[in-house]
Amino acid sequence: MLKVDKINVFYGLLQALWNVSFEVQKGEIVSFLGSNGAGKTTAIKTVQGMLRASSGEILFMDTFIDRLDSHNIVGLGLSLVAEERLLFPSMSVLENLELGAYSQRARAVRRQSLEWVYGLFPVLKKCSRQKAYTLSGGEQQMVAIGRGLMAKPKLLMMDEPSLGLAPLFVGQLFKAIEMIHKQGVSILLAEQNVSISLRISKKAYVFENGRVILKGRAVDLLQNENIEKAYLGL
Ligand code: ATP
């Protein structure tokens, strides 16, 4: 579904990614692990067309997307729930959600998508007329994910979705991610919450200093002593 081959990405003169390659097959949940500044966000933003790779290739569902604009990439079925959430605070929940359905493909099924999002996150239906800034952090994250789903993605990328959320909500969030996956959406997840993301993932890539230093099946990485020491605090 997504094949990223040896991308190199710079911020000015600073090289942030070095020959990074990864793949997501249809139906998979894939995790990116790594500490702050390891390059996960850069990799995800490059796939979404928000940053340009200076070399390498990005193939999504048989289309090379590395020179396409973000909105065209969304139109092909690839969406990002950004770390910053990027909601419009003084717009209502409903308005924020509807903004996700701007491609022609998504607009055509806007009503069904909205029911889908309300089914996943019933609280959003109750507060659909409320302005986004009045919601809790967890509810705002639901809106951000809901807006990503309104674009009818085939692959949904999520950057640190559990960041800043209360522990109780983190469990609910991961349940929702599993439900989204069961409904046919492939998922690429960058998370600091390593053990819970490995538990729901098929495979994972470990980033360090802008490189992929380890990749493998999530079940194997969960038992890898180095991963335990570095990320699970064991
Ligand atoms: P985090 O979890 O903190 O987001 P990350 O693994 O996603 O970490 P990136 O945000 O991709 O890491 O950062 C990779 C490298 O690129 C880091 O050295 C970071 O300082 C640098 N970097 C990120 N954004 C910028 C930017 N806008 N300008 C310059 N350097 C940047």
Side-chain angles (χ1 to χ4, degrees):
M1 174 170 249
L2 175 69
K3 187 173 191 322
V4 174
D5 193 26
K6 296 197 191 84
I7 54 167
N8 287 284
V9 180
F10 290 76
Y11 293 102
L13 292 176
L14 175 87
Q15 184 157 5
L17 294 186
W18 306 72
N19 287 323
V20 165
S21 301
F22 52 90
E23 283 180 32
V24 182
Q25 309 287 347
K26 190 164 185 265
E28 282 185 335
I29 301 182
V30 174
S31 283
F32 282 178
L33 314 178
S35 50
N36 282 343
K40 309 177 299 294
T41 300
T42 303
I44 282 178
K45 284 189 170 166
T46 306
V47 170
Q48 194 63 46
M50 296 158 85
L51 294 169
R52 289 274 175 241
S54 63
S55 60
E57 285 177 339
I58 307 175
L59 188 65
F60 177 64
M61 317 248 332
D62 302 326
T63 304
F64 284 103
I65 59 169
D66 35 86
R67 295 285 159 235
L68 295 186
D69 292 332
S70 287
H71 67 274
N72 290 323
I73 294 174
V74 174
L76 290 175
L78 207 168
S79 292
L80 166 65
V81 181
E83 187 174 352
E84 308 87 347
R85 294 179 195 149
L86 305 174
L87 299 183
F88 290 91
S90 51
M91 288 171 72
S92 72
V93 167
L94 178 61
E95 287 166 336
N96 269 285
L97 290 174
E98 285 188 328
L99 280 174
Y102 64 81
S103 77
Q104 212 174 359
R105 194 171 63 87
R107 250 198 325 268
V109 291
R110 191 175 55 91
R111 279 171 187 247
Q112 294 98 301
S113 302
L114 194 59
E115 285 315 311
W116 178 34
V117 171
Y118 285 160
L120 278 168
F121 303 117
V123 68
L124 297 188
K125 190 168 189 174
K126 283 193 200 129
C127 62
S128 65
R129 306 270 159 211
Q130 240 172 280
K131 291 192 192 297
Y133 76 85
T134 64
L135 305 184
S136 70
E139 290 164 345
Q140 290 190 18
Q141 187 57 276
M142 293 180 203
V143 180
I145 296 172
R147 188 181 51 185
L149 293 175
M150 291 294 290
K152 285 301 281 176
K154 295 173 179 135
L155 172 60
L156 182 67
M157 300 191 289
M158 286 187 247
D159 195 2
E160 305 277 359
S162 76
L163 194 74
L165 300 183
L168 181 68
F169 187 73
V170 173
Q172 290 176 27
L173 172 75
F174 276 86
K175 282 209 182 85
I177 293 173
E178 283 189 289
M179 278 166 70
I180 294 165
H181 172 244
K182 281 199 185 115
Q183 288 166 9
V185 181
S186 308
I187 290 175
L188 178 56
L189 187 64
E191 258 290 336
Q192 301 279 340
N193 228 316
V194 171
S195 79
I196 193 164
S197 16
L198 282 179
R199 271 177 238 286
I200 67 165
S201 297
K202 176 98 189 280
K203 66 185 189 214
Y205 293 83
V206 182
F207 283 70
E208 199 175 289
N209 294 326
R211 293 173 172 85
V212 172
I213 56 150
L214 191 62
K215 62 180 180 181
R217 295 191 315 155
V219 281
D220 297 333
L221 292 176
L222 263 171
Q223 284 160 13
N224 180 311
E225 272 183 27
N226 295 330
I227 298 281
E228 283 185 348
K229 278 194 203 118
Y231 303 110
L232 303 179
L234 301 174

